[in-house]
Amino acid sequence: MVAGASSNDASELLQQQVLDSIARSRPLNIVGGNSKAFLGAVADGDALQTSNHRGVISYEPTELVITARAGTPLSEIEKLLAEHRQSLPFEPPRHSPDATIGGAVASALSGPARPFAGAVRDYVLGCRVINGQGQQLSFGGQVMKNVAGYDVTRLMTGARGTLGVLLDVSIKVLPVPEQQITLESTIELPAALATMQKMKGSNYPVTAACYHEGKLSFRFAGSEAGLAAAIADLGGDKTRDTSFWDELRDQQLAFFNTDQLWRLAVPSGTPALDIAGEWLYDWAGEQRWLKTTASADSIRETVARHGGYAQLYRAPESLQASAGVEHPLPDKIMQLHSSIKQSFDPHSIFNPGRLFPGL
Amino acid sequence: MSNPASDAPAGERDVALACAILKQRFGERLQTGKSIREQHGHTLSWLPNQPPDAVIFANDSQDVADIVSVCAEHKCPVIAFGVGSSLEGHLNAPQGGVCIDMSQMNQVLEVQADDLSVRVQPGVTRKALNTYLRDTGLFFPIDPGADASLGGMAATRASGTNAVRYGTMKDNVLSLRAVMADGREINTASRAKKTSAGYDLTRLLVGSEGTLGIITELTVKLHGIPESIAGGVCHFPDVESACRATIQTIQYGIPIARIELLDVSQVIASNAYSKLGLKELPTMFVEFHGSDSATAEQSELFGEIVRDCGGSDFEWTKDEAARNKLWQARHDAYWAARQMRPEAEAVITDACVPISRLADCVEETRKDIEANNFLAPMVGHVGDGNFHTMVLIDMNSPKEVAAAKEFSERLSARAIAMGGTCTGEHGVGQGKTRYLRDELGDTVDFMAMIKQAFDPDNILNPGKIF
């Protein structure tokens, strides 16, 4: 099955632009829908626009695999999948209607289903890229299992465009559950964290767990009859309305309306952290959003003590520059990052500094 | 003792000197006896024995770091060895060097029950881990046929019969510690769910077959033991209808945990070896994990699909002894097959294709087997589109060896032409290096650049993958 009118293969053009940039030693900023421009430091450079390289290349619902060009809007892919009652299980956030599948893979951001269904990395089966020599290369494939050589596909996932230009990606999709139910209850934070953790290890088909504004919400896949035990166990109000989860996924809740936001990833079982501010707990407590005026150093120090890390997700440019977006890496790990970057992008033209300063 | 391969950097590699220095450090833990070297130079592979110059039994990661440091200085090949169950000559030492036996590094370090994870040393085997976990209500699902070590399973990105539900090692390794080619140990990620920003070093090392670093510790995901497990057997008139039933099952979103196919020849072999008494027809083993009501519902639904697709005799049970017998038989398929011709070696193929092409690929392969008059039982992880043929050949017959190689080549080409891969789970090792280029083209050169960046002197498991 191949998509129609909006389909366009711009790989030759993109490859030519990359070759020109190499020749002129000019860095490139890879841009898809530009919906995540806030994420990471954007360096000087010419824009390499992928949004014209778009369209679904193949989709066989029976195979549970879709292959699309990187510039294809997520909305187009999700609409096509929904026609066959399938979806992207990792629920990538759509920061705007222009968000593309390439951007979703490059940023490796996952939605509320993440701790239960897995991350972007768990579903990307293969990709075609342009590397920093201007070559087109394919990695992985469209089959469920492939151990032919190094797992470069997952190296590209989350590299934020610093290793090359994603051209096409093949992604495993899953059937949408027949029915979904949300249970909501009002509860104090420590009890909410404990309940989320308990439910994560349970046999119940939990697909999301969030604590926000004193309210604990669980999403389940399955029928009311099948969930009788869970409903009796948890209590609270039932709803079939999924709008809360959509708004959480797309960061459209009022909470997210801010220009300074931290994203904390912590191990399961981490208690409430002693940092003053406004919190939202997703991923059964393992991903925490924080609005605070506390210093970057104190936040990173507190989170690191619990075995997690903190990312300055959104921030004014000045704070981004002084505090850095990511938690700094140990020296040896940074050296390996440089080696990888050097192998992929020897002329340092792709998204310099977008992931780490100097990379 | 030293036997530098012709492609080693001239005048630099000094295996004998590295071994002499390591002997000082490790004493009796460094062994050079012929039989122990041969045990470590030949695993479950039809490739010839290629022994290392010395075998060292490591006790901890400091030992590994010390060994690699000495080897780095003298450009001596160094190969990590778990239990030796890999199938493509991954652990043989074609260029000699030092083999690090990890079997003594077999401690379960910390069960993080709240986190559904466990930290282990690389020599812990999958069965030992599950025995250790038995009182926790948790289990580790990845189950290649052999009782492999976790370090080896991570290094080869192993999978097994549970992959359709629980994924493969790529999905279940959360973080690693590994000694890199310069002897320094790294930690790839913290315990937090999403690895910190940066390149995914964990997954780059998973499946790198010991060529980028030596795994010294792993944190792997655990899963809650399902409240209920239901399993069963059914028969199909042909492989095509079995594949159709698999596709429908996945389409309906039935969360099947295991779905395995045995062809007639394998059924005959397993009946004899594992005393199963199954009808001599293409046979499927299935299993469902979940709540009591869910597994019952799933089993009923699956039964309907089987009937729709022309299958028969689907019977399911929650009885543990009956289920265990079935799955032990599935895991023993390799030994059952070899029993059909005890003097022969098994050349094992590992094609993986899109599920919609599986029936075609199996059928064409079946015709190829018949045309060659091979004895070659077949098993398939049909939920993943991955299947294995075990071609039983007499290694003393050059004609049979050549025919099996040509058969393997045709099968790999067939799988690649159908949009699949020559290796779904066994890896490249030495056995599949030449198909890798057919499948990936110039990408192989690019992977070699990554290898060069991580291990410029090519000391980590040289002669594998590339």
Side-chain angles (χ1 to χ4, degrees):
Chain A
M1 190 179 302
V2 175
S6 64
S7 185
N8 181 50
D9 182 352
S11 33
E12 301 304 317
L13 185 69
L14 290 168
Q15 187 177 18
Q16 196 50 54
Q17 281 175 278
V18 170
L19 288 167
D20 288 349
S21 293
I22 295 168
R24 294 186 301 127
S25 299
R26 279 284 296 165
L28 286 169
N29 282 317
I30 307 167
V31 182
N34 209 28
S35 66
K36 290 178 277 284
F38 61 88
L39 190 64
V42 179
D44 288 335
D46 302 330
L48 183 75
Q49 189 55 252
T50 64
S51 55
N52 200 33
H53 179 63
R54 62 190 287 169
V56 172
I57 297 169
S58 70
Y59 171 44
E60 292 299 335
T62 53
E63 292 288 344
L64 303 179
V65 177
I66 189 164
T67 300
R69 298 193 181 97
T72 317
L74 277 176
S75 57
E76 189 179 316
I77 288 174
E78 296 197 300
K79 185 165 167 283
L80 177 63
L81 294 176
E83 286 168 15
H84 299 272
R85 292 203 55 79
Q86 296 182 349
S87 69
L88 300 172
F90 47 91
E91 303 186 327
R94 296 151 298 199
H95 289 87
S96 93
D98 301 324
T100 63
I101 189 68
V105 172
S107 65
L109 297 176
S110 304
R114 161 72 179 90
F116 310 97
V120 184
R121 287 190 170 88
D122 299 320
Y123 290 91
V124 180
L125 298 173
C127 62
R128 194 161 63 92
V129 308
I130 304 173
N131 72 359
Q133 315 263 32
Q135 298 169 295
Q136 290 188 29
L137 298 172
S138 293
F139 301 98
Q142 293 176 276
V143 288
M144 293 299 152
K145 296 195 301 196
N146 182 325
V147 290
Y150 299 148
D151 196 349
V152 175
T153 306
R154 280 164 195 85
L155 213 46
M156 293 299 297
T157 309
R160 239 176 260 167
T162 57
L163 297 180
V165 184
L166 282 169
L167 286 176
D168 318 326
V169 288
S170 294
I171 294 177
K172 180 181 173 180
V173 299
L174 287 180
V176 178
E178 286 287 316
Q179 298 185 60
Q180 298 195 68
I181 289 182
T182 297
L183 289 184
E184 293 174 344
S185 48
T186 305
I187 182 172
E188 295 293 321
L189 172 62
L193 288 174
T195 310
M196 287 196 282
Q197 206 186 323
K198 191 184 95 192
M199 292 304 286
K200 209 187 134 214
S202 74
N203 266 304
Y204 299 135
V206 187
T207 62
C210 174
Y211 182 71
H212 177 45
E213 292 179 336
K215 205 167 67 182
L216 175 62
S217 307
F218 286 106
R219 185 179 63 188
F220 295 94
S223 64
E224 204 162 313
L227 291 168
I231 293 169
D233 199 357
L234 278 170
D237 301 324
K238 284 180 298 213
T239 173
R240 291 189 180 283
D241 184 4
T242 57
S243 56
F244 170 75
W245 299 109
D246 288 334
E247 287 175 22
L248 174 64
R249 168 183 173 181
D250 295 336
Q251 298 168 19
Q252 300 301 315
L253 295 169
F255 175 92
F256 290 102
N257 189 11
T258 174
D259 65 352
Q260 190 174 323
L261 181 65
W262 286 87
R263 193 178 78 87
L264 278 52
V266 292
S268 174
T270 303
L273 300 178
D274 188 20
I275 305 170
E278 234 185 295
W279 294 83
L280 184 152
Y281 300 80
D282 195 6
W283 296 4
E286 291 174 46
Q287 174 171 263
R288 302 178 184 186
W289 298 97
L290 171 63
K291 293 192 280 191
T292 183
T293 52
S295 76
D297 286 347
S298 71
I299 294 169
R300 291 202 167 114
E301 194 272 323
T302 304
V303 178
R305 216 166 347 104
H306 288 276
Y309 81 97
Q311 177 188 45
L312 186 53
Y313 192 74
R314 277 182 193 272
E317 222 167 283
S318 57
L319 178 63
Q320 211 179 50
S322 64
V325 173
E326 307 295 346
H327 202 103
L329 297 175
D331 289 349
K332 174 69 187 172
I333 299 285
M334 199 61 210
Q335 280 172 25
L336 292 174
H337 276 62
S338 300
S339 303
I340 293 169
K341 171 76 174 174
Q342 179 66 24
S343 303
F344 279 76
D345 183 20
H347 309 290
S348 291
I349 57 161
F350 294 130
N351 285 9
R354 188 80 194 248
L355 192 57
F356 287 100
L359 198 68
Chain B
M1 193 163 69
S2 168
N3 177 29
S6 55
D7 59 345
E12 293 187 2
R13 179 167 282 184
D14 196 336
V15 175
L17 182 55
C19 288
I21 295 167
L22 289 166
K23 183 73 188 170
Q24 295 278 321
R25 161 80 169 77
F26 289 96
E28 287 306 298
R29 284 200 280 140
L30 183 148
Q31 298 281 325
T32 53
K34 183 164 182 280
S35 72
I36 204 159
R37 288 192 294 116
E38 284 181 351
Q39 279 163 27
H40 289 79
H42 183 59
T43 57
L44 294 180
S45 157
W46 58 287
L47 292 159
N49 201 310
Q50 297 160 309
D53 292 273
V55 177
I56 306 176
F57 291 82
N59 286 337
D60 53 36
S61 63
Q62 190 57 52
D63 286 349
V64 178
D66 289 353
I67 296 165
V68 176
S69 296
V70 171
C71 289
E73 197 175 329
H74 301 287
K75 300 186 170 42
C76 169
V78 54
I79 302 162
F81 186 100
V83 305
S85 58
S86 56
L87 293 159
E88 296 289 353
H90 293 81
L91 300 171
N92 303 16
Q95 301 179 18
V98 172
C99 171
I100 309 178
D101 187 307
M102 298 289 196
S103 60
Q104 309 299 307
M105 288 177 69
N106 60 355
Q107 299 299 305
V108 176
L109 300 169
E110 188 189 8
V111 177
Q112 295 145 345
D114 291 348
D115 234 0
L116 298 177
S117 67
V118 63
R119 211 155 54 79
V120 298
Q121 290 189 318
V124 174
T125 68
R126 66 175 183 87
K127 285 185 182 170
L129 176 58
N130 279 321
T131 303
Y132 187 93
L133 292 170
R134 87 196 138 199
D135 299 325
T136 62
L138 301 169
F139 81 113
F140 178 71
I142 316 296
D143 63 337
D147 186 17
S149 71
L150 274 290
M153 287 168 64
T156 52
R157 216 185 301 148
S159 30
T161 62
N162 278 310
V164 63
R165 165 93 182 234
Y166 298 96
T168 75
M169 285 304 271
K170 84 176 155 57
D171 311 296
N172 285 278
V173 178
L174 296 172
S175 69
L176 294 170
R177 296 185 77 90
V179 170
M180 308 309 281
D182 61 0
R184 278 198 282 178
E185 191 179 29
I186 63 159
N187 188 0
T188 59
S190 73
R191 274 171 62 206
K193 176 60 76 190
K194 181 171 176 313
T195 54
S196 51
Y199 302 145
D200 194 344
L201 297 174
T202 309
R203 283 173 168 100
L204 182 61
L205 285 169
V206 171
S208 64
E209 302 188 3
T211 63
L212 298 179
I214 293 181
I215 296 166
T216 49
E217 188 183 303
L218 314 81
T219 302
V220 297
K221 229 189 261 187
L222 298 176
H223 300 263
I225 293 176
E227 177 187 306
S228 160
I229 300 178
V233 182
C234 56
H235 302 291
F236 289 91
D238 48 47
V239 169
E240 203 258 317
S241 39
C243 291
R244 213 166 59 234
T246 306
I247 288 172
Q248 281 190 24
T249 304
I250 292 169
Q251 268 300 99
Y252 283 135
I254 299 175
I256 200 156
R258 293 166 144 175
I259 183 161
E260 295 284 315
L261 182 71
L262 286 71
D263 79 344
V264 176
S265 170
Q266 182 65 48
V267 169
I268 294 168
S270 292
N271 274 343
Y273 187 84
S274 303
K275 319 247 173 321
L276 292 180
L278 296 169
K279 273 189 200 165
E280 292 178 2
L281 281 171
T283 299
M284 206 131 88
F285 292 4
V286 292
E287 197 167 274
F288 304 94
H289 296 176
S291 67
D292 241 351
S293 57
T295 54
E297 190 183 314
Q298 289 159 15
S299 302
E300 294 300 333
L301 248 168
F302 178 73
E304 282 172 33
I305 293 172
V306 170
R307 280 193 296 280
D308 284 354
C309 295
S312 60
D313 310 319
F314 177 60
E315 280 175 23
W316 60 277
T317 173
K318 291 186 179 178
D319 179 64
E320 196 178 342
R323 280 192 296 100
N324 285 349
K325 184 175 179 195
L326 203 60
W327 292 103
Q328 190 55 49
R330 171 61 190 85
H331 282 135
D332 287 339
Y334 171 79
W335 302 108
R338 291 202 55 176
Q339 209 55 43
M340 295 179 92
R341 194 180 171 191
E343 75 289 0
E345 289 284 339
V347 175
I348 302 178
T349 66
D350 184 28
C352 187
V353 294
I355 303 174
S356 58
R357 304 304 307 276
L358 184 61
D360 291 345
C361 195
V362 167
E363 184 51 32
E364 284 180 36
T365 304
R366 174 57 48 207
K367 283 185 188 147
D368 198 345
I369 288 170
E370 280 163 14
N372 279 281
N373 225 356
F374 285 140
L375 188 53
M378 193 188 284
V379 290
H381 308 297
V382 274
D384 305 317
N386 182 209
F387 70 99
H388 310 299
T389 54
M390 287 165 279
V391 189
L392 299 166
I393 54 161
D394 176 359
M395 293 304 288
N396 296 317
S397 158
K399 200 174 143 216
E400 283 192 33
V401 173
K405 277 188 183 172
E406 283 162 21
F407 167 79
S408 269
E409 254 159 57
R410 284 192 299 275
L411 176 49
S412 291
R414 192 176 300 136
I416 293 165
M418 289 182 174
T421 174
C422 66
T423 177
E425 60 179 16
H426 293 164
V428 181
Q430 300 178 72
K432 293 239 154 54
T433 47
R434 54 211 160 113
Y435 312 131
L436 198 63
R437 188 164 291 277
D438 295 340
E439 184 170 332
L440 297 175
D442 293 345
T443 300
V444 178
D445 300 325
F446 182 70
M447 287 182 182
M449 282 174 61
I450 299 175
K451 164 72 173 170
Q452 167 76 17
F454 273 63
D455 178 19
D457 291 321
N458 194 24
I459 63 164
L460 296 173
N461 206 8
K464 316 299 162 63
I465 301 184
F466 305 106

